[in-house]
Amino acid sequence: MKTTRGPGQSVSRPITYGSYQYPNGQNGSKESEEKQRENGALLPKRVPDHLKSQSRTTRWLWILVAVSLFIALVFSATIVHLSSQGEGIKSEASDILFDYIVVGGGPSGIIVASKLARKFPSLKVLLLESGTDSQASVLQATAGDSKSSSFAFEGFVDGDDAATLNSFDVPLLWSGLAGTRRGQWPFPPVMNVSDFPWHGHRWPIEKTLLARALGGCGLHNAMLYVRALPSDFDLWNVSGWSYEHMVKHYKELETFKDDGPIPPFWSNTTDSNDSHRGESGPIMTIPAGYGVDAVAPLFVESALQAGFPLASRGFNSGGAHGRSGVGYYEFNIRDGVRDSVARAFLAGKSKPKNLIVQTGATVTRVLMDAQRKGPRAYGVEYMTNNGRRIGRYALRDRERAEIILAAGAIMSPQLLVNSGIGPDGSVVQLEGVGKNLQDHPVVGISFEMNPELMLDSSSVYTIGDELEDYLQTVSELRALRLMDINLTSTQRNPLNQRLGTLGTSGFSAGGFLTSPWAVDNVPDIQLTVFPRQIEPHITQHRNYQETGRLRSRILLVTVALLSPEARFVITPGKVPATVNTTDQKDQSVRTFSNSSGTPVARIKKLKLPYIDIPPDRKQYLTSGDTQRLVWGLQQVRKIHETAPMSMHTGDEVYPGSHVSDEALVQYVHENALTNSHFVGTSRMGTAKQQDAVVDQRLRVIGVRGLRVVDGGVIPTVPNGNTHSTIAVVASHGADLIANDRIDKEG
Ligand SMILES: Cc1cc2nc3c(=O)[nH]c(=O)nc-3n(C[C@H](O)[C@H](O)[C@H](O)COP(=O)(O)OP(=O)(O)OC[C@H]3O[C@@H](n4cnc5c(N)ncnc54)[C@H](O)[C@@H]3O)c2cc1C
């Protein structure tokens, strides 16, 4: 804290690099010098003799004052330096001031930062991301920026996406990447799931998949494009956030291209809701088309035979009614490459020149001034990935400049608490911080495939399997090395074998079913059909040692609850007083790999949050939640027993046919997983609502100059995968921020 500005001290001074600042705005020109001389403000050029000795004495006096000031400055600088050395790190304050500092380079952060930078080309916007991985074209475009101290305001490399790809670009590799720890927060890897049983009130966070990369979870997600339903926004019940306000953003962000091959059962009939689709937005959305896998049409036809309706236009048309039933998903893929928010907004020439992207910078807290008008955010403190350097970035002014937290629903609450904002906050007490965490709890059910289906469904995956196994194994081996775990040759052999020898997501069909307990006939169960066991939340939970070859023998259907009563609470890790420990026993000391996969950087005293069950609850799921998930599993069994699926598949692998319908309750309790669709922990509302953290303009209640714009602000989890809805929240949030500046500037 020693190098930060004191309360009330202005940050709006211009940066001066040694040039003299003339008082009253005078510019030092010859003309103004003459004027001042006439007014007696400057000494005449020639000094009369009788004044010379007086002038000499004055000069000596000035020299004495200057030397004393210099000594005082050196002394205080030494004190500051020594105290920061005492913390085991170097502390430095940046002399570059920003108009907006956005924390977190996930989909929400990238959209907010890019939109603000584009809207105000003369302002400086900084995007800080903890991770260093990204898609190849994004890394190229931001390469100059990330050399932390030398900021590249221009001269980025034009991305040639076709020429440069890395594994994050290849759609099929999503599950392999998400299933490994690459580009993720450094939770320890799970070697054997039985070592990490579901223990009562605390979710084993090491099983939570959470990206730490430029692009956030949009870098390793399944690219499924599912919008929220109009009724979801009604449930949010926040003024200015109705479906009518938000549909504009869905349209603005997407280019919907419906010109691929027509999947079986796909209806050609256009309906009126097609006017809700975007035609020229930065992110491509395509129907499954080319990517329809061998299992998908079997599943869809069996479900139709079993009496479920057909969602003939990909789940995003016609509101709740159009979504109900089985059909094919849409994906964010462009020409066979992941079309993430990162790629759409940062690659090539898309990145605005006044947007500076710094990766490898983990923000530890927001710096705040206590002012007469209440606390005001004026900067952030961050540490570099090796944990040895702390830096600070400050805002240019305290009227219009702002800090925007977009670190995601899990990490933003930790940052708020680190900054003194939370239930026991020293700066502002906000009960709702970290509460109300929602997700789509998910369970899996799997079946053997007959040999001919297995061949059909797995042949396209051969290369993918090998690469996936390879990446996962390399990552596991590195993690073991970092943890100093030595395997015996018997333990190591299977890993070595997996080291041996790419544009769809690898699955295409799904369904939105309406259980008997659904409210207003809005679907409450989502099915996703994987032609082999690739869903990373499930594979993490199952036997971690199953190889791709084994996984390709079984198909998997995930059953997710769309409107859960279940809630989690984020318990922030203990707030670090300083960043100073080398205590190996300290659980907060985590190891991880850098962007090129090179070990071993250490984040010291990085306090990661925990995901807990609210204290007043005994179980994560309520009995109503369990009942609906059990019903979902039963519907999958029914579809599996119906032709043509029944003719091409074998036994149920898990839960297994021996698990009766009654016993499914227990199965759900023991196997319900998080789905990484986290929302709700900084929920928006009015200041009068006890759990509200931000108001309807996404300003943190009680603090000036600080907003949260990420999945956390969404009050109730939407009806479907969260990415597209978090993107529109960010797009709308950016507009609110921009409009507030315009209003202030009159
Ligand atoms: C495996 C997986 C599959 C998924 N599949 C789909 C799908 O197919 N379709 C869909 O719609 N949704 C999917 N999702 C969910 C979707 O990707 C997320 O809802 C969305 O990415 C959340 O966006 P966000 O910006 O709120 O947070 P995030 O994506 O989590 O981004 C937050 C960013 O902030 C950074 N950050 C955090 N703390 C700090 C700090 N202190 N300092 C600096 N940076 C920080 C993080 O590193 C991260 O990059 C999936 C998620 C996962 C994990």
Side-chain angles (χ1 to χ4, degrees):
M1 292 300 285
K2 284 157 189 110
T3 53
T4 59
R5 290 176 188 85
Q9 195 175 335
S10 169
V11 291
S12 60
R13 67 191 152 78
I15 314 162
T16 58
Y17 294 108
S19 59
Y20 183 74
Q21 282 280 304
Y22 285 84
N24 307 326
Q26 286 162 348
N27 59 12
S29 67
K30 221 173 179 176
E31 236 176 57
S32 74
E33 203 174 295
E34 288 299 333
K35 234 181 212 163
Q36 291 181 65
R37 199 166 289 128
E38 275 165 28
N39 294 339
L42 292 180
L43 283 176
K45 271 182 180 164
R46 283 199 180 159
V47 184
D49 282 344
H50 70 276
L51 288 178
K52 269 187 181 164
S53 64
Q54 210 176 321
S55 156
R56 228 173 273 132
T57 318
T58 317
R59 196 185 308 145
W60 277 113
L61 267 175
W62 276 114
I63 289 171
L64 203 66
V65 169
V67 169
S68 320
L69 270 175
F70 179 73
I71 291 170
L73 265 173
V74 169
F75 183 70
S76 51
T78 311
I79 297 277
V80 169
H81 181 69
L82 284 177
S83 18
S84 63
Q85 288 289 302
E87 292 172 8
I89 41 122
K90 281 183 187 150
S91 185
E92 60 182 41
S94 165
D95 56 356
I96 301 180
L97 304 173
F98 294 93
D99 298 283
Y100 294 105
I101 299 177
V102 182
V103 178
S108 48
I110 292 174
I111 290 176
V112 174
S114 303
K115 278 192 82 167
L116 287 171
R118 258 185 234 154
K119 179 89 185 171
F120 304 112
S122 62
L123 301 186
K124 280 187 187 126
V125 181
L126 174 65
L127 177 65
L128 292 171
E129 166 55 45
S130 174
T132 50
D133 273 311
S134 200
Q135 286 173 260
S137 53
V138 179
L139 290 175
Q140 270 184 348
T142 56
D145 295 13
S146 281
K147 285 172 201 149
S148 58
S149 50
S150 59
F151 290 98
F153 290 98
E154 53 191 324
F156 54 83
V157 184
D158 285 356
D160 182 356
D161 303 346
T164 323
L165 288 185
N166 66 21
S167 41
F168 290 102
D169 288 298
V170 183
L172 184 59
L173 296 185
W174 73 273
S175 64
L177 288 165
T180 64
R181 307 317 291 176
R182 180 160 179 192
Q184 298 211 45
W185 283 89
F187 306 126
V190 184
M191 291 309 293
N192 185 344
V193 79
S194 59
D195 294 342
F196 293 90
W198 163 244
H199 34 103
H201 283 247
R202 181 153 282 182
W203 178 257
I205 193 147
E206 59 278 353
K207 281 203 242 162
T208 302
L209 304 181
L210 202 60
R212 178 166 168 264
L214 185 54
C217 297
L219 264 203
H220 67 194
N221 72 15
M223 293 153 284
L224 276 175
Y225 183 83
V226 183
R227 292 182 177 189
L229 291 174
S231 55
D232 287 326
F233 299 100
D234 297 342
L235 274 178
W236 296 8
N237 193 21
V238 184
S239 132
W241 291 83
S242 68
Y243 178 71
E244 285 65 38
H245 288 98
M246 304 305 286
V247 70
K248 156 179 170 240
H249 297 283
Y250 281 118
K251 285 181 77 173
E252 267 177 23
L253 286 174
E254 83 166 349
T255 293
F256 178 58
K257 264 223 152 72
D258 193 3
D259 59 359
I262 310 288
F265 318 109
W266 188 265
S267 157
N268 269 328
T269 53
T270 42
D271 67 38
S272 57
N273 274 316
D274 279 356
S275 64
H276 290 195
R277 303 311 298 254
E279 288 173 352
S280 53
I283 306 170
M284 180 71 81
T285 307
I286 54 162
Y290 293 100
V292 169
D293 58 90
V295 173
L298 297 178
F299 171 84
V300 176
E301 190 171 348
S302 291
L304 297 181
Q305 295 296 332
F308 294 98
L310 176 69
S312 58
R313 301 282 300 168
F315 305 124
N316 286 316
S317 290
H321 180 67
R323 176 159 298 176
S324 290
V326 292
Y328 297 90
Y329 282 113
E330 294 171 358
F331 296 90
N332 292 132
I333 298 175
R334 186 191 291 267
D335 299 334
V337 174
R338 171 183 291 274
D339 212 28
S340 67
V341 165
R343 199 170 99 99
F345 283 83
L346 299 179
K349 290 182 175 154
S350 315
K351 186 178 91 76
K353 292 185 177 178
N354 56 329
L355 168 62
I356 295 102
V357 180
Q358 185 173 355
T359 56
T362 303
V363 173
T364 48
R365 71 183 88 214
V366 178
L367 303 169
M368 236 138 7
D369 263 355
Q371 286 189 340
R372 210 167 19 89
K373 288 193 248 168
R376 211 292 174 192
Y378 71 86
V380 295
E381 179 188 82
Y382 72 94
M383 62 184 172
T384 54
N385 276 357
N386 59 15
R388 287 199 196 98
R389 190 164 66 92
I390 275 198
R392 296 188 177 97
Y393 288 112
L395 294 175
R396 191 201 293 270
D397 70 79
R398 294 185 190 203
E399 279 311 309
R400 295 153 305 172
E402 297 188 62
I403 310 285
I404 296 136
L405 297 185
I410 304 287
M411 302 304 259
S412 282
Q414 173 79 63
L415 282 174
L416 287 170
V417 169
N418 283 8
S419 316
I421 304 163
D424 304 313
S426 55
V427 176
V428 175
Q429 290 201 352
L430 279 181
E431 277 304 314
V433 173
K435 297 205 173 120
N436 189 45
L437 176 60
Q438 291 164 60
D439 190 8
H440 293 133
V442 64
V443 282
I445 174 165
S446 73
F447 307 95
E448 277 175 359
M449 288 186 275
N450 287 352
E452 78 286 352
L453 179 59
M454 198 178 82
L455 279 179
D456 253 9
S457 82
S458 60
S459 55
V460 290
Y461 300 108
T462 309
I463 303 167
D465 281 346
E466 286 169 12
L467 197 51
E468 180 181 322
D469 281 348
Y470 169 82
L471 283 172
Q472 189 165 331
T473 313
V474 169
S475 156
E476 279 172 28
L477 286 169
R478 183 183 302 125
L480 289 167
R481 185 158 28 90
L482 297 184
M483 291 189 301
D484 287 328
I485 294 176
N486 291 313
L487 299 180
T488 62
S489 57
T490 326
Q491 287 170 318
R492 206 185 154 89
N493 270 345
L495 289 168
N496 283 343
Q497 269 172 19
R498 277 205 288 168
L499 273 174
T501 108
L502 306 132
T504 76
S505 283
F507 66 97
S508 50
F512 286 79
L513 312 186
T514 311
S515 83
W517 305 275
V519 179
D520 294 336
N521 276 328
V522 175
D524 54 350
I525 290 292
Q526 181 180 4
L527 306 181
T528 307
V529 184
F530 296 91
R532 54 193 287 275
Q533 189 180 274
I534 56 166
E535 207 293 328
H537 297 87
I538 306 283
T539 51
Q540 282 241 107
H541 182 61
R542 307 285 320 165
N543 187 348
Y544 198 59
Q545 297 297 332
E546 280 175 1
T547 63
R549 214 171 288 279
L550 264 178
R551 289 199 304 267
S552 67
R553 288 187 194 153
I554 52 178
L555 70 89
L556 163 74
V557 183
T558 57
V559 179
L561 188 56
L562 292 166
S563 49
E565 292 166 340
R567 297 288 181 272
F568 279 125
V569 173
I570 297 286
T571 306
K574 208 175 116 225
V575 178
T578 54
V579 183
N580 67 351
T581 188
T582 49
D583 181 1
Q584 295 298 313
K585 287 184 204 132
D586 190 324
Q587 287 304 299
S588 64
V589 179
R590 315 271 191 187
T591 51
F592 63 97
S593 315
N594 68 14
S595 60
S596 54
T598 314
V600 186
R602 268 175 197 282
I603 286 189
K604 295 174 181 177
K605 279 282 181 191
L606 174 65
K607 298 297 183 181
L608 297 172
Y610 292 95
I611 303 180
D612 290 332
I613 290 169
D616 58 333
R617 290 209 178 168
K618 286 205 170 66
Q619 311 244 31
Y620 168 42
L621 298 174
T622 66
S623 54
D625 290 340
T626 309
Q627 197 171 33
R628 289 187 290 162
L629 281 168
V630 166
W631 180 87
L633 288 168
Q634 289 166 344
Q635 306 319 300
V636 179
R637 281 180 166 176
K638 200 160 116 186
I639 296 168
H640 169 246
E641 282 159 13
T642 310
M645 221 178 150
S646 59
M647 296 155 63
H648 297 273
T649 54
D651 289 346
E652 185 177 304
V653 181
Y654 57 84
S657 48
H658 62 282
V659 179
S660 66
D661 280 1
E662 294 71 40
L664 283 177
V665 172
Q666 184 69 14
Y667 174 76
V668 166
H669 269 304
E670 285 170 3
N671 293 279
L673 302 167
T674 71
N675 213 353
S676 300
H677 292 171
F678 301 120
V679 302
T681 51
S682 308
R683 67 169 294 174
M684 58 177 146
T686 62
K688 284 188 187 140
Q689 283 171 312
Q690 211 202 350
D691 272 3
V693 173
V694 296
D695 65 13
Q696 62 264 45
R697 302 190 78 76
L698 307 184
R699 298 173 293 208
V700 174
I701 293 166
V703 182
R704 289 176 312 119
L706 182 61
R707 308 204 198 209
V708 180
V709 187
D710 59 29
V713 306
I714 295 178
T716 318
V717 70
N719 192 285
N721 311 59
T722 39
H723 184 269
S724 68
T725 303
I726 288 172
V728 294
V729 164
S731 178
H732 191 51
D735 286 359
L736 294 174
I737 298 168
N739 290 341
D740 285 352
R741 171 175 282 267
I742 293 165
D743 281 352
K744 275 185 183 157
E745 286 172 350

